[in-house]
């Protein structure tokens, strides 16, 4: 089996004329670094799980993306991260929501999975588990960037009451297939700027923003999380592959159409069980990159770029 890796750094309103050149270059460099980290693992015979965790960690540490360092602020000026990881071999999964002090939330999600008792931990409990699991901690100051603070100030004074309707802030995700044909998926986010009331999006909801099943596909989503939850999009993708004769491309086309008809904005990446690499989105741009064994890596942002 040829290994493959596909990643996203968020879908949204990015257009050539609106995205500053420096942000375009930084976005592409960040995606390339992340793909390289995952490729190194897959090329040396590592597992899809190791690859998606390592890839997402690079994007979490990169302040240009809305995950880990560089996460968006909640309405009351805090950082609350969500993340999930799933192993397609036995459909083991781990997820965390509203964590405030874990440097790499995706690694905490993996610790939840490895611990094996639970699938989803939230807020103070997840922070406590993080300490007990011994994953690296970071202060709120470490996550915070002045750029995101400005975005919060803009959101709070916006006429719509502050919700981040553009969703251009760069949730991250990765799906990989390793040389043994196993699939894994991981997603990580700071959520939406100015989110309130303990709001949790699709990212850590297994079956909504993240899902992996060796018998079907691995999927990671980004966009208006509430729509992805209502469509159970990542699981729906896998279920249709198992239950219909539709190809991976047909399922992807149908679901991006349904997301649009539903009023949802965003996109998803996937790898089908026979190695098809899929990227779909209905926004002007999506930070994305992919690599298949034996082929060069491809990196793109705008919707007119073919990868
Ligand atoms: N899906 C994420 C959420 O709703 C946001 C994003 O993808 O940008 O939390």
């Amino acid at each position: 089996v040829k290994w493959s890796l596909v990643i996203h750094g968020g879908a949204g309103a990015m257009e050539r004329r609106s995205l500053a050149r420096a942000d375009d270059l930084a976005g592409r460099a960040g995606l390339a670094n992340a793909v390289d980290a995952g490729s190194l693992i897959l090329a040396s015979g590592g597992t899809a799980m190791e690859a998606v965790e390592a890839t997402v960690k690079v994007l979490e540490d990169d302040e240009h993306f809305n995950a880990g360092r560089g996460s968006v602020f909640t309405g009351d000026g805090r950082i609350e991260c969500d993340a999930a990881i799933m192993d397609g071999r036995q459909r083991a999964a781990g997820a965390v929501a509203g964590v405030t002090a874990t440097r790499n939330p995706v690694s905490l999600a993996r610790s939840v999975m490895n611990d094996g008792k639970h699938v989803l931990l939230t807020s103070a409990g997840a922070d406590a588990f993080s300490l007990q699991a011994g994953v690296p901690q970071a202060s709120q100051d470490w996550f915070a960037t002045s750029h995101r603070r400005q975005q919060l100030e803009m959101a709070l004074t916006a006429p719509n009451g502050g919700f981040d309707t553009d969703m251009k802030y760069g949730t991250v995700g990765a799906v990989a297939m390793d040389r043994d044909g196993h699939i894994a998926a991981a997603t990580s986010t700071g959520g939406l700027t100015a989110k309130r009331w303990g709001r949790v999006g699709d990212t850590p909801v297994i079956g909504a923003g993240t899902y992996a099943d060796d018998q079907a596909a691995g999927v990671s989503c980004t966009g208006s999380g509430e729509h992805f939850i209502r469509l159970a999009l990542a699981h729906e993708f896998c279920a249709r592959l198992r239950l219909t004769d539709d190809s991976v491309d047909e399922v992807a086309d149908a679901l991006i159409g349904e997301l649009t008809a539903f009023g949802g904005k965003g996109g998803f990446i996937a790898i089908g069980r026979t190695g098809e690499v899929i990227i779909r989105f209905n926004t002007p741009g999506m930070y994305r990159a992919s690599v298949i064994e034996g082929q060069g890596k491809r990196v793109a942002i705008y919707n007119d770029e073919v990868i």
Side-chain angles (χ1 to χ4, degrees):
V1 178
K2 284 190 175 173
W3 60 261
S4 53
L5 175 66
V6 58
I7 72 173
H8 69 76
M14 297 82 71
E15 289 178 85
R16 273 200 181 76
R17 58 186 163 83
S18 59
L19 193 66
R21 174 126 181 95
D23 291 335
D24 174 302
L25 293 175
R28 287 177 200 271
L31 291 166
N33 285 340
V35 155
D36 287 348
S39 300
L40 207 63
I41 290 170
L42 293 166
S44 54
T47 65
M49 279 295 284
E50 288 163 349
V52 294
E53 182 188 0
T55 304
V56 168
K57 278 173 80 172
V58 172
L59 294 167
E60 287 176 338
D61 284 346
D62 186 330
E63 67 175 62
H64 292 95
F65 298 96
N66 171 20
R69 179 167 160 75
S71 283
V72 298
F73 285 96
T74 64
D76 54 8
R78 287 157 50 82
I79 303 278
E80 295 179 358
C81 299
D82 305 335
I85 194 164
M86 187 156 183
D87 186 339
R89 283 178 303 179
Q90 71 289 55
R91 285 181 282 169
V96 291
V99 292
T100 62
T102 301
R103 173 169 167 163
N104 292 110
V106 70
S107 298
L108 183 57
R110 193 168 180 195
S111 297
V112 171
M113 189 196 107
N114 289 343
D115 184 60
K117 278 194 283 297
H118 306 296
V119 169
L120 173 59
L121 300 181
T122 68
S123 306
D127 284 339
F129 175 77
S130 179
L131 282 172
Q132 196 181 306
V135 299
Q137 304 291 296
S139 69
Q140 285 269 303
D141 286 348
W142 189 83
F143 296 104
T145 62
S146 53
H147 178 57
R148 297 299 187 198
R149 228 176 248 295
Q150 278 166 16
Q151 284 176 344
L152 175 63
E153 276 154 27
M154 277 167 61
L156 291 179
T157 51
N160 68 6
F163 226 47
D164 170 14
T165 47
D166 267 355
M167 248 95 50
K168 59 183 173 197
Y169 300 140
T171 288
V172 309
V175 180
M177 174 177 274
D178 60 32
R179 280 209 176 123
D180 294 324
H182 297 306
I183 301 173
T187 317
S188 180
T189 190
L192 300 183
T193 300
K195 65 185 181 181
R196 295 194 285 163
W197 306 298
R199 183 266 182 190
V200 176
D202 58 316
T203 299
V205 178
I206 297 300
T210 310
Y211 204 73
D213 177 359
D214 276 6
Q215 303 312 313
V219 186
S220 171
C221 302
T222 177
S224 52
E226 283 68 11
H227 296 101
F228 288 80
I229 294 174
R230 289 164 59 203
L231 287 170
L233 195 136
H235 182 266
E236 182 74 18
F237 193 107
C238 293
R240 290 193 194 182
L241 288 175
R242 280 191 293 108
L243 301 172
T244 71
D245 292 329
D246 291 351
S247 70
V248 182
D249 266 304
E250 286 166 342
V251 168
D253 286 343
L255 286 176
I256 198 70
E258 287 169 38
L259 177 72
T260 307
F262 221 53
K265 285 186 192 165
F268 49 83
I269 55 171
I271 297 180
R273 97 186 137 80
T274 44
E276 308 87 341
V277 174
I278 294 291
I279 302 175
R280 293 288 190 284
F281 54 101
N282 64 7
T283 45
M286 173 152 109
Y287 291 102
R288 58 201 189 277
S290 67
V291 58
I292 298 174
E293 183 175 7
Q295 299 173 21
K297 66 172 172 263
R298 295 155 184 225
V299 178
I301 300 179
Y302 313 109
N303 60 8
D304 58 6
E305 294 176 89
V306 179
I307 71 166

